Amino acid sequence: MSVHRFPCRVYFEDTDAGGLVYHANYLRFAERARTEALRDLGVPHATLMAEHGLIFVVRRIKIDYLRVSRLDDSLEVITTVLAVGAAKAELAQTIRRDEETLVAAEVVLACVRCDDGRPARIPSRWRHAMRGLAQELSGAED
Amino acid sequence: MSVHRFPCRVYFEDTDAGGLVYHANYLRFAERARTEALRDLGVPHATLMAEHGLIFVVRRIKIDYLRVSRLDDSLEVITTVLAVGAAKAELAQTIRRDEETLVAAEVVLACVRCDDGRPARIPSRWRHAMRGLAQELSGAED
Amino acid sequence: MSVHRFPCRVYFEDTDAGGLVYHANYLRFAERARTEALRDLGVPHATLMAEHGLIFVVRRIKIDYLRVSRLDDSLEVITTVLAVGAAKAELAQTIRRDEETLVAAEVVLACVRCDDGRPARIPSRWRHAMRGLAQELSGAED
Amino acid sequence: MSVHRFPCRVYFEDTDAGGLVYHANYLRFAERARTEALRDLGVPHATLMAEHGLIFVVRRIKIDYLRVSRLDDSLEVITTVLAVGAAKAELAQTIRRDEETLVAAEVVLACVRCDDGRPARIPSRWRHAMRGLAQELSGAED
């Protein structure tokens, strides 16, 4: 897997009275894609919660809205890993329709404890799986 | 308090590409109103969770969509209690714009345990508070 | 096609602080399934809007919440057509996890004009396609 | 009005199975606040659509999640205008609980035509009203 691809259809719930996808809903598409990326990497988020009492939360998002999207559009969320640190990971996600990029986002995730929200180390199984995605992209050394 | 009234504005997030409020979002308005009704009755849902480990969940909804609503409409959710049993409560909720009823719903709530979802008795403080709302409406005996 | 089956995954956006799927969100799953059912029947909702200036809106829903659902659950929405009249259609939809029914809904749709919301006849292409689904189920005559 | 303040309560619909407000939902709170800010400035978004056929869309958001928020929290969205150009406006929005900043966002809005989405000049009535908010903040000249 060089990048993760997640297909996504635009339904009525995703649009607003302007006739377009409501801007906050692209973040929902991006989150679905991150969840599926972890599952496809063999390190599901649910396992992180159940076995380690940890959860990834969003620390920062920069999101550019480049083109609009409408009801029934068939979209694809492309997810790549930019960097994985001890307690944080940085991802790039774009949302495309055919080959056209509609939305480009950079997302910083932090690993925190479910019970008190304090920062925690990303377990090595997750760190390596996520870096694996980045390595294939960039050839960077661990 | 004879009935509970909760004001509610329609924002972009509530509408869809048809230009109207998306049908499922009226249930969000109704749930906000139930939460505020319990708070205003002095028996907040949060206290039910924290002190008793219980939560109200929706068991059944019948909802009629009579008239449409649009961006920027100023709505009001009217909540009344039809019946409060040992472990269930039945409410009537209407959503109005001025004096016009847009949506009419009957909602059955069940009291369940947070940890395992099993049915549980509604604590007497909640039962009496909710019946108080119904009594004032109907004059019914406890 | 005897019934329409639509797969659906539970993501964070679908859950609430009770740890379960938020009740209104099952209506979103059901609407996605209706949209895909029309598409798979060859009579997309988008075409109804573009060619006829018509839209299906929800007139009434009865929904029973029988069992709960959690993050990461893999669900299926089963849609069948109960009746198709001149301007209305009635559907039954259940949401299942494996063979277990979690939610059962009856949905009445009305066909209305996009511009003024007035009731309109369902175009025959849509009526026949939707009845086709019902016929295969029930053997009922048109 | 030096800054615009918009109160906002956290309901079940806003939270997720992690027990916290779902990250994308802060963007919904921020959008509600922008809508109310325009209304309170006497230049409602609805009027922009009805009289000019124009709409503000989000072009870019940078959002930092600093502290978490939970069910029943009483929040406040603080909105200020950083700059208003011919066809774009830049706002700073923070979401606070008491005096604590939970979320800080910079939002770039573009004025576009409803019919084809092409960039358009912000009508002077809106430009001046929005600059008025910024001026009071900064004392900057128009």
Side-chain angles (χ1 to χ4, degrees), chain B residues 13-33:
Chain B
E13 64 183 281
D14 304 312
T15 60
D16 70 19
L20 308 175
V21 171
Y22 182 68
H23 70 288
N25 290 338
Y26 292 105
L27 297 193
R28 300 201 285 125
F29 300 164
E31 196 273 328
R32 295 180 201 172

Side-chain angles (χ1 to χ4, degrees), chain B residues 53-68:
Chain B
L54 300 175
I55 195 172
F56 284 116
V57 296
V58 177
R59 269 287 178 266
R60 178 178 301 148
I61 295 183
K62 289 194 294 183
I63 182 163
D64 281 276
Y65 298 93
L66 307 172
R67 281 178 178 78
V68 300

Side-chain angles (χ1 to χ4, degrees), chain B residues 21-129:
Chain B
V21 171
Y22 182 68
H23 70 288
N25 290 338
Y26 292 105
L27 297 193
R28 300 201 285 125
F29 300 164
E31 196 273 328
R32 295 180 201 172
R34 293 195 300 271
T35 295
E36 293 301 338
L38 287 177
R39 198 192 321 277
D40 293 348
L41 286 166
V43 289
H45 205 183
T47 309
L48 183 68
M49 295 170 75
E51 292 184 5
H52 297 272
L54 300 175
I55 195 172
F56 284 116
V57 296
V58 177
R59 269 287 178 266
R60 178 178 301 148
I61 295 183
K62 289 194 294 183
I63 182 163
D64 281 276
Y65 298 93
L66 307 172
R67 281 178 178 78
V68 300
S69 177
R70 293 172 197 281
L71 187 65
D72 274 330
D73 278 355
S74 180
L75 308 180
E76 192 176 40
V77 185
I78 313 288
T79 302
T80 63
V81 174
L82 298 177
V84 183
K88 284 189 187 175
E90 190 170 347
L91 286 72
Q93 298 191 283
T94 59
I95 301 178
R96 300 186 192 169
R97 185 183 49 221
D98 304 322
E99 290 311 304
E100 202 173 36
T101 298
L102 310 178
V103 168
E106 286 183 26
V107 180
V108 177
L109 301 176
C111 184
V112 302
R113 304 203 305 219
C114 289
D115 55 0
D116 61 7
R118 294 178 69 106
R121 282 185 69 83
I122 302 172
S124 60
R125 202 176 130 211
W126 273 261
R127 220 162 51 230
H128 284 103

Side-chain angles (χ1 to χ4, degrees), chain A residues 6 9-14 28-29 31-33 35-36 39 44-47 49 55-56 71-72, chain C residues 6 9-14 28-29 31-33 35-36 39 44-47 49 55-56 71-72:
Chain A
F6 175 72
R9 177 75 75 168
V10 176
Y11 295 109
F12 271 107
E13 65 184 279
D14 304 312
R28 300 200 286 126
F29 300 164
E31 196 273 328
R32 294 180 202 171
T35 295
E36 294 301 337
R39 198 192 321 276
H45 205 183
T47 309
M49 296 170 74
I55 194 172
F56 285 116
L71 187 66
D72 274 330
Chain C
F6 175 72
R9 176 75 75 168
V10 176
Y11 295 108
F12 271 108
E13 64 183 281
D14 304 312
R28 300 201 287 125
F29 300 164
E31 196 273 327
R32 293 180 202 172
T35 295
E36 294 301 338
R39 198 191 322 276
H45 205 183
T47 309
M49 295 171 74
I55 194 172
F56 284 116
L71 187 64
D72 274 330

